[in-house]
Amino acid sequence: MVIEGLDTPPGPGPAADLLAAELHASLTDPALEGMNLLNELVMRFPDAISFAAGRPFEGFFRVEDLHRHLRTYCEYLETELGHTPEQVVRTLFQYGRTKGVIHDLIARNLAVDEGIKADPDSIVVTVGCQEAMYLVLRALRTDERDVLLAVSPMYVGITGAAKLVDMPVLGVEDAEHLTDLQAVIDRARAEGLRPRALYLVPDFSNPSGYSLSVATRHRLLEIAEREDLLLLEDNPYGLFSLDDERPPTLKSLDTRRRVVYLGSFAKTCFPGARVGYAVADQYVRDGERVELFADQLSKIKSMLTVNTPAFAQALVAGKLLESGYSLNSANAALRQVYRDNLRRVLDGLARRFPPGGPIEVTWNTPGGGFFIVLTVPFTVTDEHLERCAREHGVLWVPMHHFYDGPSPTNQIRLSCSSLDAARIDEGLDRFADFVAGAMN
């Protein structure tokens, strides 16, 4: 909240005002300001139809499911692990293991759904995937030479995490083929920089919806090995394809421990639990001592969040146990909703903006996920977004928020995940009216 015209302190006693210039530079960075803007507009226009946030569809949320998941996990602790009732209570109510208490169940899920063979000890359970990103970047950033590479346009969460650890981000263009990657690495090193990792979302990326071909995934692993680069693979949308053909994850193809796999249960279970994880099976050598990279991340976590709440982990664990460790199977009905929504938005755009029509609007056609990128015939600003929310009751996101540098000025991201069919149709009608008005 910005306080206008405040001349005196709001309470008794001397003012303890702070200067923005004496706070961390990230606090005035557009990467952090952008999300605050969207959250503010959601609060100001609560009845607006939102194509903005990539929130999960809520139609399958049931409070009673949480109670069942908890009971399932408690029964697992008693019958499978042999815990006493006292130990079960302690597991749920007390501080827990910093690296998490459901790491073994996550490992089984990865084996079933992704073909990833992960040592449970290489898994750090985090407070959402956002913490996992922060932990990895904090560990990798040693001095001012270290930089992160990220496929552009990029998820604002990774940009923000990098800002918080003072790690510059270099964008890699051509998201679907990564033909620019080698040139970015070479330029960075010529400038005395040290690329530590490449962050990417290989399946139905946020925000652009792109996916990597299998050939590109293999080539990316080859480059990572040759250039001594880690790959930070973020995979929140991989289960939500338009068809049943799913390419292998980078981590499942990784034979040289080049991939740190960043996982989240926000989209496949429930975001309110705030449970994510990192698979960090790289070895860290210090003389004769050898540890897993996961152990290094847990040291940082112990000073940041201490541990991920066991109660939240228990809810996720219960769902994993009930599904036979397959969230792919557990999300079959939800996947169909997302498929229907994506097709409905794509078909709806085609009807409202036909080729050769009076308004030239184009868009990509993702193979799954939540997001579609539109190119419109005018410069898109945050003021356009506010006007659209106020006058048309529709929210979306300008694409310039997803670039850490120069960006296209005429692109919009639409998310189709959280709406039902009627709201999609009504929202697209309103959006079309907004576009027509913006042309005048």
Side-chain angles (χ1 to χ4, degrees):
M1 178 179 69
V2 177
I3 304 173
E4 302 289 350
L6 183 65
D7 297 321
T8 58
D17 296 338
L18 303 174
L19 296 176
E22 295 178 353
L23 300 178
H24 194 266
S26 66
L27 297 175
T28 55
D29 191 278
L32 275 66
E33 293 284 351
M35 293 311 297
N36 283 340
L37 168 66
L38 183 58
N39 291 335
E40 180 184 336
L41 289 176
V42 169
M43 296 296 294
R44 286 173 55 195
F45 304 102
D47 295 327
I49 296 174
S50 180
F51 291 101
R55 295 164 61 93
F57 180 72
E58 297 179 357
F60 299 113
F61 289 167
R62 301 287 185 272
V63 172
E64 55 267 27
D65 289 346
L66 301 181
H67 296 286
R68 191 186 69 252
H69 295 331
L70 180 59
R71 289 194 300 269
T72 297
Y73 181 59
C74 291
E75 291 170 3
Y76 166 80
L77 292 177
E78 289 185 348
T79 61
E80 297 295 323
L81 300 188
H83 284 15
T84 65
E86 292 77 14
Q87 288 174 314
V88 172
V89 169
R90 188 175 301 117
T91 297
L92 294 177
F93 283 86
Q94 273 291 5
Y95 297 108
R97 178 176 176 268
T98 300
K99 288 169 67 176
V101 297
I102 63 168
H103 50 300
D104 55 331
L105 304 183
I106 293 174
R108 295 183 196 181
N109 166 240
L110 289 170
V112 171
D113 278 345
E114 306 294 353
I116 296 173
K117 297 179 180 178
D119 180 347
D121 280 338
S122 72
I123 296 172
V124 181
V125 187
T126 56
V127 181
C129 190
Q130 194 66 35
E131 186 190 21
M133 296 177 194
Y134 179 88
L135 295 178
V136 172
L137 297 186
R138 178 65 280 169
L140 293 178
R141 201 281 186 188
T142 58
D143 60 41
E144 66 279 358
R145 294 173 298 163
D146 294 324
V147 295
L148 173 70
L149 310 182
V151 175
S152 187
M154 61 195 75
Y155 170 53
V156 294
I158 195 68
T159 310
K163 300 290 184 184
L164 292 176
V165 302
D166 297 311
M167 196 171 193
V169 180
L170 305 181
V172 176
E173 305 299 328
D174 188 16
E176 294 186 40
H177 306 290
L178 301 180
T179 54
D180 189 41
L181 175 58
Q182 188 65 58
V184 173
I185 294 172
D186 293 343
R187 282 197 302 271
R189 288 182 173 154
E191 295 171 6
L193 302 175
R194 182 168 51 194
R196 300 302 308 272
L198 168 68
Y199 169 86
L200 74 166
V201 184
D203 297 299
F204 323 125
S205 173
N206 178 10
S208 66
Y210 78 85
S211 296
L212 299 185
S213 68
V214 175
T216 300
R217 293 169 197 247
H218 282 288
R219 185 168 60 83
L220 185 54
L221 287 165
E222 292 171 0
I223 293 174
E225 178 68 15
R226 183 176 69 242
E227 299 296 333
D228 192 20
L229 193 70
L230 286 177
L231 303 177
L232 310 184
E233 179 181 19
D234 190 3
N235 187 29
Y237 313 105
L239 297 185
F240 304 123
S241 61
L242 276 178
D243 55 42
D244 293 329
E245 295 296 322
R246 293 181 56 217
T249 61
L250 287 167
K251 189 60 180 174
S252 68
L253 300 173
D254 180 25
T255 61
R256 303 287 295 172
R257 295 190 295 276
R258 285 290 165 190
V259 179
V260 176
Y261 188 82
L262 304 173
S264 170
F265 295 108
K267 307 302 189 291
T268 54
C269 289
F270 15 74
R274 301 304 302 136
V275 178
Y277 61 92
V279 180
D281 58 359
Q282 294 72 26
Y283 293 133
V284 177
R285 303 181 185 279
D286 183 8
E288 297 297 317
R289 182 171 179 159
V290 179
E291 290 185 304
L292 286 168
F293 190 30
D295 295 319
Q296 306 298 312
L297 301 184
S298 73
K299 295 175 185 178
I300 304 172
K301 179 177 174 59
S302 70
M303 293 292 109
L304 186 65
T305 58
V306 183
N307 61 276
T308 301
F311 192 84
Q313 293 184 67
L315 298 178
V316 171
K319 185 160 186 175
L320 291 174
L321 290 163
E322 291 167 16
S323 67
Y325 309 107
S326 178
L327 293 177
N328 186 46
S329 299
N331 282 281
L334 183 60
R335 180 165 50 250
Q336 191 58 53
V337 169
Y338 293 148
R339 288 174 175 177
D340 292 344
N341 282 5
L342 182 56
R343 292 188 179 109
R344 195 172 194 91
V345 172
L346 292 170
D347 292 344
L349 290 171
R351 288 194 302 272
R352 291 164 178 84
F353 304 106
I359 303 176
E360 185 178 354
V361 176
T362 59
W363 53 90
N364 64 336
T365 305
F370 294 2
F371 308 108
I372 302 164
V373 176
L374 279 66
T375 302
V376 296
F378 57 88
T379 298
V380 178
T381 65
D382 291 342
E383 288 71 27
H384 279 104
L385 169 59
E386 182 171 0
R387 191 176 82 191
C388 186
R390 182 178 64 253
E391 298 178 4
H392 299 273
V394 176
L395 290 167
W396 36 268
V397 183
M399 280 293 288
H400 67 76
H401 287 290
F402 299 100
Y403 290 83
D404 194 48
S407 65
T409 59
N410 61 338
Q411 291 189 333
I412 287 170
R413 190 198 76 175
L414 299 183
S415 173
C416 62
S417 58
S418 63
L419 301 174
D420 59 24
R423 296 285 279 177
I424 288 174
D425 292 343
E426 175 65 22
L428 289 178
D429 284 342
R430 297 182 188 183
F431 178 75
D433 289 342
F434 157 74
V435 172
M439 295 294 297
N440 299 327

